[in-house]
Amino acid sequence: MTLSTPDPAPRMRAAFLRALGGPEQIEVGELPLPRPGAGQVLLAVRASSLDPVDALVRSGAFPTGTPFPFVLGRDAVGTVVDAGAGAEDLLGRRMATSSLGHDGRQGAWAGFTLVERERAYPVPEDVEEETLVAALHPASTAHLALHRHGRLAPGQTVLVGGGGGNVGGALVAEAVRAGAQVVATARERDAAGVRALGADRSSVGACPGAGTVTTVDHTAADAPEQLRTLLADRTDLVVDTSGRLDPELVADLMAVRGRIVVITAPPSPPRIPLARLYTRDVSLHGFVISRATVDELADAARGTVRLLQETPWRPRLAENRDLDAARSLHERLDAGGIEGRVVMRIRA
Ligand SMILES: NC(=O)c1ccc[n+]([C@@H]2O[C@H](COP(=O)([O-])OP(=O)(O)OC[C@H]3O[C@@H](n4cnc5c(N)ncnc54)[C@H](OP(=O)(O)O)[C@@H]3O)[C@@H](O)[C@H]2O)c1
């Protein structure tokens, strides 16, 4: 069932690969317009984003199904313009998605993309599209790290490594929203903004310290001592987005039955003080959003919308680009030259 008739010779612009490899494998050109099957919608994409994991999928470092020609891009926001059987009720609606370009699914860097209805999330009137598409990856990661994997409860104490970053800021804001007491590492440039994610105490319940945010400058020589003073033996949950926090230090900070959710790793394998961890019932829990289930991603998308509606946190928007910049963006991603979120604007 079609809302507006597509072009009689339906093609669309896309940024895609014919083989895995370096950024030079990226082509920008025309591909056939896909047709939705049962339970799928065709989304006219208005915006997508660039995620660090895109480089791993493109190069093959994160092995996943990439049927060629394989369209890049993971997150999208747009309007449903065609729908297969069982998805007609979504026609004409503004929807977002966060798990394309992976596991055999084509990506979002195209004029149109197919989305299974259970991976399509409604975009409320009061949520700005480009903010949402930039927020989905970091905020979904934060949501699942804290709730699904970190089992955060109100009143608990959370250490966020890299609170000034995209995932880090979302972690701080969501932990505050959930009534946690937060300590975050952030250099001076970012510290005030991170502390501003702290809540009005009356809105987060009666637990002592709920909603407070304290920052420690990780560039300060005495940062480990400051963290020990604030957190030794009482940290319920650690999520380090930098991969740079010393595992020996983190182990000393953990409360009995604390959880360490690992979402990134330093280039060389760190020494893990296993004796300290097991004797305190501390668990080390790896998590990568690429393995999240359909239900977890839908829950995380709702969490992302709520974060934008109920907290001051916003993704750090670095730049807006279009499909012609696909290759240069990946070159910069490989070189570590992208700070903040890139929104890819797409004209159908
Ligand atoms: N597992 C998953 O599912 C998943 C999902 C999304 C992202 N990730 C990963 O999560 C990581 C963070 O992503 P992001 O987009 O939030 O990156 P980001 O915006 O660059 O944030 C990284 C943060 O780490 C801080 N940092 C760097 N060195 C530090 C140190 N020695 N001590 C404490 N903090 C330090 C940085 O602060 P300065 O600027 O002050 O150096 C920055 O605030 C990336 O490795 C990404 O690949 C994983």
Side-chain angles (χ1 to χ4, degrees), residues 228 231-234 247-256 272-282:
R228 278 184 212 281
L231 291 172
D233 300 324
R234 53 178 293 264
E248 304 267 358
L249 168 66
V250 170
D252 287 346
L253 306 181
M254 300 311 296
V256 170
I272 309 287
L274 293 176
R276 169 83 184 168
L277 299 183
Y278 92 81
T279 55
R280 299 177 72 76
D281 279 11
V282 172

Side-chain angles (χ1 to χ4, degrees), residues 140-197:
S140 295
T141 302
H143 182 88
L144 293 174
L146 292 173
H147 298 299
R148 171 73 180 81
H149 301 281
R151 305 191 312 278
L152 180 63
Q156 291 193 329
T157 300
V158 180
L159 169 61
V160 174
N166 275 296
V167 180
L171 283 164
V172 172
E174 178 59 20
V176 162
R177 205 195 62 78
Q181 181 172 355
V182 180
V183 175
T185 63
R187 69 173 71 222
E188 202 180 328
R189 176 194 68 186
D190 299 323
V194 174
R195 286 196 298 272
L197 298 172

Side-chain angles (χ1 to χ4, degrees), residues 181-344:
Q181 181 172 355
V182 180
V183 175
T185 63
R187 69 173 71 222
E188 202 180 328
R189 176 194 68 186
D190 299 323
V194 174
R195 286 196 298 272
L197 298 172
D200 162 10
R201 300 282 291 279
S202 61
S203 69
V204 290
C207 301
T212 58
V213 178
T214 307
T215 53
V216 170
D217 185 345
H218 55 275
T219 66
D222 67 343
E225 271 326 296
Q226 288 189 53
L227 289 170
R228 278 184 212 281
T229 304
L230 287 164
L231 291 172
D233 300 324
R234 53 178 293 264
T235 309
D236 298 295
L237 176 58
V238 175
V239 189
D240 176 20
T241 73
S242 74
R244 306 285 168 167
L245 291 184
D246 173 13
E248 304 267 358
L249 168 66
V250 170
D252 287 346
L253 306 181
M254 300 311 296
V256 170
R257 303 235 157 157
R259 285 88 59 206
I260 302 168
V261 177
V262 181
I263 67 159
T264 189
S268 45
R271 285 167 54 86
I272 309 287
L274 293 176
R276 169 83 184 168
L277 299 183
Y278 92 81
T279 55
R280 299 177 72 76
D281 279 11
V282 172
S283 58
L284 203 58
H285 191 106
F287 156 54
V288 66
I289 197 163
S290 299
R291 300 197 192 282
T293 65
V294 170
D295 287 348
E296 287 168 352
L297 289 169
D299 181 42
R302 286 188 290 272
T304 300
V305 166
R306 201 166 46 223
L307 200 65
L308 294 174
Q309 288 175 324
E310 296 181 12
T311 82
W313 176 78
R314 294 293 177 272
R316 277 205 300 204
L317 291 177
E319 49 194 294
N320 291 303
R321 304 303 298 270
D322 60 24
L323 288 179
D324 291 323
R327 189 182 287 187
S328 65
L329 284 171
H330 269 251
E331 284 165 355
R332 288 169 53 205
L333 196 57
D334 278 7
I338 294 195
E339 227 186 272
R341 303 287 293 151
V342 174
V343 169
M344 178 69 92

